[in-house]
Amino acid sequence: MTMASLEVTQGEHFASAHAGPLDELSSYQFFHPLGKGRGFPGKLFLKEPLGMTGMEVSLNKLPAGQGMPFYHKHKTHEELYIFLKGSGQFQVDGRVVPVREGTVIRVAPDGSRTWRNDSQEDLYYIVVQAMAGSMAATDIEDGVPLPERVTWPD
């Protein structure tokens, strides 16, 4: 993956990144072994630059008229696709789901998936990948309130 101009800031208990405007996601490329050396522009994985240990997240831009050239599934990871802008189609186990801004799709590891942008505008989406069945507690049960009062520097 090329890291175009990803700006990463790290602290003791956090990491943040700024990848730039969504319409410039094409400046990032992912090199997949099945691509035979060809890069796929518009995909930025965030696990390594942010030091994530329990999930993978990617920012994605799929140009108009393009599509994923193969089906895939996972061994242990479920995926959550969050569509931000544009429209297209998502296929899971032979079922086609129309996608557009605000569509969210969760796919189990064994789900055979692919997607395409069959529109005239770019399709932007986020993919969150985590091990299926790994959430030991609900969000509320895992959160721990702290006694400090919230303050903001002027």
Side-chain angles (χ1 to χ4, degrees):
M1 166 184 16
T2 60
M3 295 307 260
S5 60
L6 186 64
E7 301 169 19
V8 178
T9 302
Q10 301 216 345
E12 183 179 355
H13 299 290
F14 80 96
S16 69
H18 183 74
L22 287 177
D23 63 352
E24 294 178 12
L25 273 175
S26 296
S27 65
Y28 297 93
Q29 287 197 58
F30 171 64
F31 293 90
H32 190 282
L34 294 177
K36 301 176 184 175
R38 189 188 93 189
F40 296 94
K43 185 166 198 73
L44 173 59
F45 283 105
L46 298 172
K47 181 179 181 282
E48 286 185 29
L50 293 178
M52 290 189 257
T53 63
M55 69 179 139
E56 173 66 270
V57 177
S58 64
L59 304 177
N60 301 271
K61 174 185 176 181
L62 186 61
Q66 299 292 312
M68 188 69 150
F70 53 86
Y71 290 101
H72 82 279
K73 67 179 191 171
H74 287 266
K75 295 175 185 173
T76 60
H77 295 167
E78 64 183 355
E79 290 183 313
L80 178 67
Y81 294 79
I82 305 166
F83 293 89
L84 305 173
K85 185 177 177 183
S87 63
Q89 294 180 312
F90 196 96
Q91 189 181 144
V92 184
D93 298 333
R95 289 187 63 182
V96 176
V97 177
V99 297
R100 64 186 184 283
E101 181 178 334
T103 301
V104 180
I105 300 175
R106 178 240 172 215
V107 184
D110 281 333
S112 175
R113 68 207 77 172
T114 192
W115 54 96
R116 69 179 181 173
N117 179 347
D118 61 349
S119 76
Q120 300 300 311
E121 62 179 323
D122 294 332
L123 179 61
Y124 296 93
Y125 56 99
I126 296 171
V127 181
V128 179
Q129 191 179 132
M131 184 174 293
S134 65
M135 294 294 290
T138 67
D139 292 340
I140 298 297
E141 292 169 342
D142 189 60
V144 179
L146 300 175
E148 295 93 30
R149 238 181 100 134
V150 174
T151 60
W152 293 96
D154 289 331

